Amino acid sequence: MRWGLLVSVGIFALIAFVTAQVPVELDEHRKPTIQTGGNCLIKGGTIWTGTGQVIDGGSILVRNGKIAAIGKNLTPPDGIVVIDATGKFIMPGIIDAHSHIAIDATNESTDSITAEVRIHDVLVPQSLSIYRGLSGGVTATMTMHGSANAIGGQNAVIKLKWQRPVDELLVPDAPRFIKFALGENPKRANFTGDTVRFPTTRLGVEAVIRRAFDEARRYIQAWERYEWESKTNPNAIPPRRDLRLEALADVLRGNMIVQCHAYRADEMLMLMRLAREYGFKIAAFHHGLEAYKIAPELAAAGIGVSTFADYWAYKVEAYDAIPYNAALCLKAGIVTSVNSDSVERMRRLNLEAAKCIKYGDLTIDEALQLITFYPAIQIGIAHRTGTLEVGKDADIAIFDGHPLSVYSKCVMTLIDGEVFFMRRDAFGVDKNATIKREISICRTDHLSIPTPPSDARRYAIVGATIYPVTKPPIENGTVLIEDGRIKAVGKDIPVPKDAVVINAKGLRVYPGLIDAGSVLGLTEISAVRATVDTSESGEFQPDLQAIVAVNPASEHFAVTRFVGITAALTRPTGGIISGQSAVIHLAGWTPDEMCIKNPVALHINVPEGLGALPSFARLMLQPEELQRLQEEGGARLRRLREFLERARHYAEAKAKGAGQVFDPRLEAMMPYVTGKLPVIFHTNSTRGIRTALQLAEQFGLKAVIAGGRDAWKVVDLLAQKKVPVIVGSLWTLPSSDYDPYDAPWANPALLHRAGVKIAFQSASAATSRDLPYQVGVACAFGLPYEEALKAVTINAAEILGVDNLLGSIEPGKLANLIVTDGDPLEIVTQVHYLFIAGKPIPLESRHTRLYLQYRQRIKQPTPAGAQQPAS
């Protein structure tokens, strides 16, 4: 009893200490302080109705959960709750047509056909994934069975009514949908388990579906015979009831509609042929990354596409994915939506929609409809929601700025007129937040802008607004480039007669952006081991150098340059000590030509034990597994200390001239244990950060933290030790269920506020092009804009030791420059010209080539025989 009391007191004391030190977020904090009962007046905002109408200073009257009136100068009835949205942006609640949130299980993967299982039987209204979706303005979703089966389970269309009873989540008159899947997932191409399950080929996937429908037809016929016979024979014996075949029979009868996971064009065409043959209806292909290749066929068949905005290269099926897919499909007449398929991505679907302006030149209305009206059609609830119209459900999202700007955040989400999310500024960052109520879109066809000749010695960019970063902007300025370097910057700079002149009037010039942590050039398709050179076997490999494996022909370089990134740190990732990184240009014929500095730093993955696991993952593990992980982490940390100790002794002995047996690994450690070059510690947890700082102090290492998701919890310690942090990726969830929902996004602002120098990393190749937008989101959550721009330019250069060459527009530095039509951190901004080492680089890529190729096809006549049967 006494020990139990002491433990309880200790726990409460610990909780009190923690809550006094850092903000927390409990359910009581997540409950809105406004309750409307489904009746309210939202007034004073800019209303985007989704029907082509924009009302400035408008109001919405909600009665009994329905929109009763929309317009200006509406008068609230007596006693009704009034929500002041002055200066804010009001739009229909965002709809995610493809998610796996709020469920206890995703895949029943024991069989290739599981049509009888139902997602709504495993809904979890208390799931924090619902709340996190609400924080991004999402009000409804189709939460789906997984894609492990050719024919999976039945999906559920829900509203995100967090912590309400299950029946209140389900949309009562939504159609019934079933999940199908094609390609790598149902054939288990990337499954590493021991079980081999039919099918293992695309041929088998088609056969599985065909066999299932043949059996369902026989099942229907058996019941029809029974029903006919029972009219005259009371002793007729009914067929055995089969829940799986009943579900498939409902698909054939048109009572349940197919939503199909698919990537490749050929497999989509295959299912369309089966749909015509068996008479079932396909609502949409999900992901549909090659839908642009068969857009005319899909449009003629009336099949929708719900896709990613720009996610690609994570497996072979996704290598022809292009960010223009949604725009091409929409322009071909296909009902198109952008989905999340991710709890994390769901919170920023508004930004995913903005990408379809950048890639494909959609209008603002078209982009917003990708996450409102069109997904509502795809999941059968457009009669209820998806637009703001009188009589529809009052599902509404309110943003503090333009919802397609990286600088905007959702501040309130209503479902059926009731407030389910209200922003709580737990960190006090909103007062420094950047907010933009307009976005600037340049409609110049930037893909048709000719690249200046690359064989000139001198270039002059004239008439632009120049942002040197280290000095104030220069209006109507000139940047003179000579022999690969910046020769002069300023106003009234004389332009040599032999210089190639780029007229940049109305444009902006920035230093090329820097990704301070990536695997660019070391990986191509992450699921294909033969294309991945990031992770070597063994725990301690300090002599490995990333530069030797950089592939200059990687398609990721051109894709990443497109957003203005001209240089990156690329690094190995395996083991405990992974090896040494290099800073490279994102263009060049050979690795040597691309290399800016090598080596740059040593990379250590800090052994964290349980500290590396998010709280939800710990809950899923058994006590013995938790114990094993904790012990394993401790053992790995001991081995790291022993190795560092050996490296220090080796360096000390060499300094004294003592004879040593040459050891290539310990030799590689010498610049680091002597403090000449930095050691980048990769860790996200507070435990890992503290461990890294202790190791740095014990062994005299020049420490940098990379990742640092929980750095805000030890920000004073980092500031005291003057240790910089390379933050990222920001596309991540809080590490604990009790951290504020915006902790990863506010983290950079909190580090800056404490005086910690920061840069940003993508920690990726395929998503490196998202880095500027992650930095922009950090501004929305309190990081001052000027500091954000420094973090992705001069700060990154200083931390990586290349600030004498990169990071600002100053005479003598390498001419890594971008010429843009707007803010490079805004998604809709286009890069018009890009220079690396003083040479203009064409802004074309695998993606632009496929876009231009297939853009021509949507103008061709509709192919014959593509029509889908009516449901």
Side-chain angles (χ1 to χ4, degrees):
M1 180 72 178
R2 180 183 174 189
W3 282 109
L5 179 61
L6 287 173
V7 169
S8 298
V9 170
I11 290 172
F12 283 116
L14 177 62
I15 292 173
F17 172 77
V18 170
T19 54
Q21 298 298 310
V22 298
V24 296
E25 186 174 88
L26 307 176
D27 283 359
E28 65 186 72
H29 300 124
R30 296 169 180 139
K31 293 177 180 176
T33 56
I34 295 176
Q35 295 182 351
T36 70
N39 298 282
C40 63
L41 179 75
I42 305 169
K43 71 169 189 177
T46 298
I47 302 172
W48 181 78
T49 65
T51 63
Q53 185 181 19
V54 178
I55 306 170
D56 291 323
S59 299
I60 301 176
L61 178 63
V62 178
R63 302 304 301 266
N64 300 318
K66 301 285 186 180
I67 297 173
I70 303 175
K72 291 191 174 185
N73 304 317
L74 299 182
T75 302
D78 292 340
I80 202 168
V81 173
V82 176
I83 298 171
D84 187 0
T86 302
K88 296 180 173 58
F89 200 104
I90 305 166
M91 63 175 286
I94 293 171
I95 299 171
D96 189 351
H98 183 125
S99 78
H100 303 282
I101 70 165
I103 52 179
D104 189 57
T106 304
N107 279 294
E108 177 50 63
S109 56
T110 52
D111 202 347
S112 57
I113 305 172
T114 57
E116 69 274 27
V117 303
R118 304 183 303 182
I119 285 296
H120 80 245
D121 291 328
V122 292
L123 286 174
V124 183
Q126 296 79 21
S127 171
L128 201 54
S129 62
I130 298 177
Y131 178 80
R132 287 170 173 161
L134 288 165
S135 73
V138 179
T139 55
T141 186
M142 179 165 62
T143 187
M144 306 178 76
H145 190 274
S147 54
N149 326 72
I151 300 177
Q154 300 169 41
N155 306 326
V157 177
I158 64 171
K159 291 196 177 185
L160 273 61
K161 296 184 176 182
W162 185 52
Q163 295 191 331
R164 295 290 181 89
V166 167
D167 287 347
E168 291 188 32
L169 270 67
L170 293 166
V171 179
D173 54 355
R176 295 170 63 201
F177 294 110
I178 187 169
K179 176 73 173 291
F180 280 32
L182 309 175
E184 290 187 30
N185 284 21
K187 73 190 190 86
R188 314 299 273 160
N190 298 308
F191 181 65
T192 57
D194 297 328
T195 303
V196 177
R197 188 199 74 190
F198 180 81
T200 60
T201 65
R202 284 180 171 80
L203 290 74
V205 171
E206 193 268 358
V208 160
I209 297 171
R210 181 180 294 279
R211 292 172 188 177
F213 280 129
D214 284 341
E215 191 174 358
R217 275 181 170 175
R218 291 192 292 273
Y219 185 77
I220 291 172
Q221 291 164 359
W223 276 99
E224 288 174 346
R225 284 195 300 271
Y226 163 73
E227 290 166 0
W228 179 261
E229 185 181 349
S230 64
K231 292 177 182 178
T232 58
N233 179 10
N235 297 318
I237 299 174
R240 181 181 65 86
R241 188 183 180 200
D242 188 308
L243 295 179
R244 179 175 298 178
L245 291 176
E246 283 192 7
L248 291 172
D250 274 346
V251 175
L252 292 177
R253 295 185 184 109
N255 297 329
M256 189 148 50
I257 305 171
V258 173
Q259 302 273 6
C260 184
H261 163 113
Y263 283 75
R264 278 181 16 187
D266 58 295
E267 62 194 22
M268 289 184 257
L269 291 172
M270 176 273 287
L271 193 68
M272 290 164 66
R273 287 192 294 271
L274 286 179
R276 291 195 298 273
E277 180 178 345
Y278 287 92
F280 61 87
K281 174 75 174 177
I282 305 168
F285 284 114
H286 289 252
H287 310 317
L289 299 186
E290 291 186 13
Y292 65 92
K293 295 182 178 181
I294 55 168
E297 286 82 0
L298 292 168
I303 298 174
V305 171
S306 185
T307 188
F308 295 132
D310 64 348
Y311 196 31
W312 81 296
Y314 48 96
K315 53 183 176 177
V316 173
E317 291 178 329
Y319 199 55
D320 270 8
I322 62 174
Y324 302 93
N325 187 36
L328 284 174
C329 288
L330 192 63
K331 290 177 180 179
I334 299 169
V335 175
T336 306
S337 71
V338 169
N339 68 54
S340 74
D341 194 21
S342 158
V343 177
E344 189 283 316
R345 195 180 293 113
M346 178 182 278
R347 305 173 305 153
R348 50 183 173 87
L349 273 177
N350 58 311
L351 303 185
E352 296 297 287
K355 292 175 180 177
C356 300
I357 296 177
K358 181 183 186 71
Y359 301 106
D361 203 31
L362 294 188
T363 66
I364 289 174
D365 276 358
E366 288 171 330
L368 286 169
Q369 285 175 327
L370 292 173
I371 54 172
T372 53
F373 182 53
Y374 295 137
I377 294 173
Q378 290 175 339
I379 65 175
I381 58 173
H383 62 292
R384 283 181 165 271
T385 187
T387 57
L388 299 179
E389 298 179 78
V390 172
K392 283 194 170 185
D393 296 351
D395 296 351
I396 299 167
I398 304 176
F399 285 79
D400 61 2
H402 197 294
L404 298 180
S405 168
V406 293
Y407 304 116
S408 299
K409 53 189 172 289
C410 180
V411 295
M412 185 177 290
T413 307
L414 298 91
I415 302 176
D416 294 337
E418 186 59 83
V419 179
F420 277 86
F421 169 79
M422 284 182 65
R423 170 158 172 77
R424 166 179 167 261
D425 184 13
F427 296 106
V429 295
D430 285 1
K431 60 181 176 294
N432 295 319
T434 302
I435 300 175
K436 290 190 178 178
R437 295 181 172 84
E438 294 182 354
I439 56 174
S440 177
I441 303 172
C442 175
R443 293 299 180 182
T444 299
D445 182 3
H446 63 285
L447 294 183
S448 66
I449 298 173
T451 304
S454 61
D455 56 354
R457 184 181 168 217
R458 297 185 180 92
Y459 299 87
I461 305 170
V462 301
T465 300
I466 301 167
Y467 293 81
V469 174
T470 52
K471 295 179 181 178
I474 303 166
E475 299 284 345
N476 194 28
T478 297
V479 180
L480 182 61
I481 301 168
E482 184 177 298
D483 295 330
R485 293 186 179 256
I486 299 167
K487 179 71 173 178
V489 186
K491 289 192 173 187
D492 303 321
I493 301 292
V495 177
K497 292 181 180 180
D498 64 344
V500 175
V501 177
I502 293 96
N503 182 359
K505 186 173 178 59
L507 302 177
R508 307 181 184 188
V509 182
Y510 294 90
L513 307 183
I514 302 171
D515 185 342
S518 79
V519 289
L520 284 162
L522 300 180
T523 184
E524 197 66 17
I525 303 173
S526 56
V528 179
R529 185 68 187 89
T531 72
V532 179
D533 287 302
T534 54
S535 182
E536 187 52 83
S537 58
E539 288 186 329
F540 302 104
Q541 304 286 9
D543 53 327
L544 301 187
Q545 295 192 37
I547 192 66
V548 304
V550 168
N551 176 15
S554 170
E555 296 287 353
H556 291 283
F557 289 126
V559 166
T560 305
R561 290 195 301 260
F562 197 83
V563 302
I565 297 174
T566 61
L569 178 136
T570 190
R571 70 174 188 92
T573 62
I576 298 175
I577 296 183
S578 308
Q580 302 174 71
S581 56
V583 173
I584 58 173
H585 292 301
L586 266 57
W589 294 105
T590 67
D592 288 342
E593 184 180 328
M594 297 172 72
C595 183
I596 299 171
K597 182 179 181 181
N598 178 64
V600 170
L602 183 74
H603 293 262
I604 295 179
N605 295 315
V606 179
E608 299 178 71
L610 295 180
L613 292 177
S615 57
F616 74 86
R618 297 180 208 177
L619 294 174
M620 295 188 292
L621 297 176
Q622 297 297 321
E624 55 271 20
E625 181 68 9
L626 292 171
Q627 180 68 22
R628 184 189 68 78
L629 288 173
Q630 186 69 5
E631 291 174 357
E632 189 177 277
R636 285 164 57 86
L637 182 57
R638 284 194 297 275
R639 292 196 293 274
L640 173 58
R641 290 185 189 276
E642 290 167 1
F643 188 85
L644 291 172
E645 190 67 44
R646 285 175 56 203
R648 181 166 64 179
H649 288 325
Y650 185 90
E652 289 172 349
K654 287 205 72 170
K656 294 175 181 177
Q660 290 283 314
V661 176
F662 180 81
D663 186 321
R665 296 191 303 164
L666 298 181
E667 196 73 25
M669 291 292 295
M670 289 188 59
Y672 305 102
V673 295
T674 56
K676 294 178 181 177
L677 289 175
V679 176
I680 299 181
F681 291 93
H682 295 267
T683 178
N684 280 306
S685 70
T686 55
R687 176 184 296 178
I689 293 169
R690 290 181 185 278
T691 298
L693 297 181
Q694 290 166 1
L695 290 171
E697 187 168 345
Q698 180 180 355
F699 295 101
L701 308 177
K702 186 179 178 182
V704 177
I705 300 297
R709 178 173 54 190
D710 286 348
W712 59 275
K713 297 177 181 177
V714 288
V715 67
D716 291 338
L717 180 61
L718 288 163
Q720 176 192 337
K721 301 290 186 182
K722 295 182 171 55
V723 172
V725 177
I726 302 173
V727 183
S729 161
L730 261 61
W731 295 162
T732 186
L733 294 169
S735 61
S736 167
D737 288 352
Y738 306 108
D739 289 343
Y741 81 97
D742 59 343
W745 295 345
N747 186 33
L750 301 176
L751 288 165
H752 167 70
R753 190 162 72 189
V756 177
K757 180 177 285 189
I758 62 170
F760 287 88
Q761 66 168 10
S762 68
S764 174
T767 61
S768 180
R769 65 174 166 196
D770 267 2
L771 187 70
Y773 317 140
Q774 296 184 29
V775 179
V777 167
C779 294
F781 289 84
L783 181 65
Y785 177 79
E786 293 77 12
E787 296 302 322
L789 197 57
K790 288 179 183 177
V792 79
T793 53
I794 191 63
N795 282 11
E798 289 173 350
I799 292 171
L800 302 179
V802 291
D803 52 304
N804 60 321
L805 300 171
L806 302 175
S808 60
I809 304 178
E810 298 179 76
K813 288 194 174 184
L814 290 172
N816 279 23
L817 304 167
I818 57 174
V819 182
T820 73
D821 54 31
D823 175 2
L825 307 186
E826 277 281 26
I827 293 172
V828 298
T829 294
Q830 301 285 5
V831 177
H832 288 226
Y833 303 96
L834 179 141
F835 288 80
I836 290 180
K839 294 297 182 183
I841 305 297
L843 288 167
E844 65 172 19
S845 68
R846 179 184 186 85
H847 295 171
T848 61
R849 292 190 294 271
L850 286 168
Y851 168 60
L852 295 174
Q853 176 184 351
Y854 284 94
R855 185 173 66 176
Q856 302 305 313
R857 188 163 189 259
I858 66 173
K859 300 174 183 177
Q860 296 177 3
T862 300
Q867 287 296 332
Q868 187 178 190
S871 174

